[in-house]
């Protein structure tokens, strides 16, 4: 195994979205992640090479409602450093796999819980998905253009940013605590909490009067003409984010607007500035602007689609994307100077590593 988490053992009770993402990230960092699955694979991608959230993991199949197979999972928990689960609150307790059940076998176990609403509160037992979780935090309501509806940022903001990523941060912090105290603990990672936390800067600006609580009226939400996307001659888009004055000056120079544009922060003339930038960008295709802004400090970049992104020269040079079994996918991140990650492993077939894991972890089957 390679990576900074080499030697860390993780049991992941298979779920959807942010939980598997957290397990993938831990596996990318070198942890030995054993995903306990039911036959059939992900409802989104099925099994096989496209089930990339399970890449690099090992699979064991178990029916958690079967007493013998539940006991097998508890024996795995005895040997693990971390257990991840993404069920509704109280489900693993009813199965006999809750924190107290596991701590009776392994007091140092870090018990990571991934939910949308959290382990408590009046909505904790409700069903939900990313879009609803980010809706109530104010984040979804802040994303979109003036006069238009909220714009859904895929499920990147809630499921993976506010959810899976916060679960991993919590697990790593709890592992450090367990190392010094000898005690594991529950990590309650709720998407509503993580998404709200991501918006800390915006809430601070709102409190100071530096942010209007409406869409498309602020510096970072397309309200400012120097932070927006503009259509090109071939109906593609150029992203412009020239916030600092020196970068804004460079943008104007590249667009041949240095002697024509109004002052950057003269909000009364923002419509005029937006029209000038839009007219200039619209005059040329995206390929032209990609060359013009290549290597400049104007903070402008081509808006690429998913198929194009891996071939961007900078991303290609860094190896930001990788390929495994014919499937292009993001490479592990971040990067480490002394403990580099191993190449991306394939997603397992359900139950593919059952006997291998039991042998490696020295776990016997219940009699």
């Amino acid at each position: 195994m390679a990576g900074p988490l080499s030697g860390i053992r993780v049991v992941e009770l298979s779920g959807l979205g942010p939980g598997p993402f957290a397990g993938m990230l831990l596996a990318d960092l070198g942890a030995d992640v054993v995903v306990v699955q039911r036959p059939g694979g992900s409802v989104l991608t099925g099994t096989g090479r496209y089930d990339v959230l399970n890449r690099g993991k090992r699979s064991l199949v178990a029916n958690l409602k079967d007493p013998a197979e539940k006991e097998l999972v508890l024996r795995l928990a005895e040997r693990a450093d971390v257990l991840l689960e993404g069920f509704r609150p109280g489900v693993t307790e009813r199965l006999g796999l809750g924190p107290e059940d596991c701590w009776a076998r392994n007091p140092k176990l870090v018990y990571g819980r991934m939910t949308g609403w959290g382990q408590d509160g009046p909505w904790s037992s409700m069903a939900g998905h990313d879009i609803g979780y980010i809706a109530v935090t104010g984040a979804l309501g802040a994303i979109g253009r003036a006069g238009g509806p909220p714009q859904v940022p895929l499920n990147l903001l809630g499921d993976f940013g506010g959810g899976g990523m916060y679960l991993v941060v919590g697990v790593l912090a709890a592992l450090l605590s367990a190392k010094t105290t000898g005690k594991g603990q529950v990590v309650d990672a709720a998407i509503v909490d993580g998404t709200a936390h991501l918006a800390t800067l915006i809430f601070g600006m709102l409190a100071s009067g530096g942010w209007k609580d409406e869409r498309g009226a602020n510096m970072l939400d397309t309200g400012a003409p120097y932070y927006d996307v503009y259509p090109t001659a071939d109906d593609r888009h150029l992203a412009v984010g020239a916030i600092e004055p020196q970068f804004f000056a460079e943008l104007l120079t590249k667009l041949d607007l240095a002697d024509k544009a109004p002052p950057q922060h003269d909000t009364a003339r923002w419509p005029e500035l937006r029209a000038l930038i839009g007219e200039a960008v619209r005059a040329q295709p995206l390929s032209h602007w990609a060359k013009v802004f290549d290597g400049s400090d104007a903070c402008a970049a081509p808006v690429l689609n998913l198929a194009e992104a891996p071939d961007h020269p900078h991303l290609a040079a860094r190896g930001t994307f990788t390929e495994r079994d014919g499937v292009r996918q993001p490479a592990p991140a971040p990067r480490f100077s002394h403990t580099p990650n191993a190449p991306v492993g394939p997603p397992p077939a359900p139950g593919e590593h059952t006997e291998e894991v039991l042998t490696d972890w020295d776990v016997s089957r219940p009699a």
Side-chain angles (χ1 to χ4, degrees):
M1 299 293 291
L5 294 185
S6 180
I8 297 295
R9 289 176 168 177
V10 179
V11 173
E12 175 193 329
L13 305 184
S14 183
L16 293 176
F21 174 81
M24 181 201 74
L25 180 49
L26 294 172
D28 284 349
L29 297 176
D32 181 6
V33 180
V34 174
V35 57
V36 179
Q37 294 180 291
R38 291 173 290 182
S42 168
V43 298
L44 297 179
T45 59
T47 58
R49 61 192 179 126
Y50 301 110
D51 191 13
V52 292
L53 288 185
N54 275 334
R55 70 186 189 189
K57 303 175 186 178
R58 298 197 284 179
S59 173
L60 179 149
V61 168
N63 177 2
L64 301 183
K65 295 182 179 180
D66 181 274
E69 297 191 17
K70 178 192 74 176
E71 172 62 24
L72 185 62
V73 174
L74 285 170
R75 293 183 182 185
L76 288 171
E78 287 181 29
R79 304 284 188 178
D81 301 287
V82 178
L83 184 144
L84 304 178
E85 64 95 356
F87 300 112
R88 295 196 204 189
V91 170
T92 57
E93 282 85 352
R94 291 193 292 273
L95 290 170
L97 293 168
E100 297 296 337
D101 302 299
C102 293
W103 288 333
R105 311 287 188 100
N106 180 1
K108 290 185 177 181
L109 184 72
V110 172
Y111 199 98
R113 317 195 84 162
M114 183 75 260
T115 61
W117 304 116
Q119 294 299 311
D120 53 31
W123 282 13
S124 61
S125 63
M126 282 175 37
H129 279 297
D130 173 286
I131 192 169
Y133 306 140
I134 68 173
V136 300
T137 67
L140 179 58
I143 300 172
R145 294 191 173 277
Q151 294 297 309
V152 180
L154 305 182
N155 67 334
L156 302 181
L157 174 57
D159 277 353
F160 301 130
M165 195 68 71
Y166 275 83
L167 176 58
V168 170
V169 170
V171 162
L172 295 179
L175 278 172
L176 289 175
S177 175
K179 184 177 180 180
T180 57
T181 66
K183 291 186 176 182
Q185 59 185 303
V186 168
V187 178
D188 176 6
I191 295 173
V192 290
D193 296 346
T195 303
H197 194 260
L198 287 171
T200 299
L201 170 66
I202 306 303
F203 276 96
M205 294 174 70
L206 179 66
S208 73
W211 188 274
K212 295 180 181 179
D213 199 4
E214 55 186 280
R215 287 185 292 280
N218 303 281
M219 181 176 67
L220 301 176
D221 64 356
T222 73
Y226 51 83
Y227 200 91
D228 204 346
V229 294
Y230 289 91
T232 59
D234 52 350
D235 292 322
R236 301 294 300 275
H237 287 86
L238 181 74
V240 171
I243 297 174
E244 293 81 358
Q246 68 272 29
F247 302 152
F248 179 69
E250 178 75 2
L251 173 72
L252 296 184
T253 298
K254 294 292 186 181
L255 293 175
D256 195 23
L257 294 175
D259 298 326
K260 306 172 186 176
Q264 180 180 8
H265 297 297
D266 185 348
T267 56
R269 298 183 68 184
W270 272 5
E272 178 187 350
L273 177 58
R274 186 182 302 278
L276 285 171
I277 295 174
E279 182 181 1
V281 172
R282 188 68 169 174
Q284 298 289 345
L286 184 63
S287 59
H288 169 83
W289 295 120
K291 293 177 182 177
V292 167
F293 291 109
D294 184 22
S296 83
D297 281 347
C299 299
V303 177
L304 303 181
N305 60 39
L306 295 174
E308 293 170 327
D311 294 323
H312 185 274
H314 180 74
L315 304 188
R318 281 187 57 81
T320 300
F321 289 83
T322 188
E323 187 170 314
R324 173 80 200 208
D325 299 330
V327 180
R328 267 184 165 180
Q329 54 196 281
R335 305 178 188 196
F336 300 87
S337 60
H338 296 299
T339 54
N341 297 322
V344 167
E352 178 181 348
H353 303 101
T354 299
E355 298 307 320
E356 177 183 295
V357 168
L358 297 182
T359 299
D360 288 353
W361 287 29
D362 193 23
V363 172
S364 61
R365 290 184 177 277

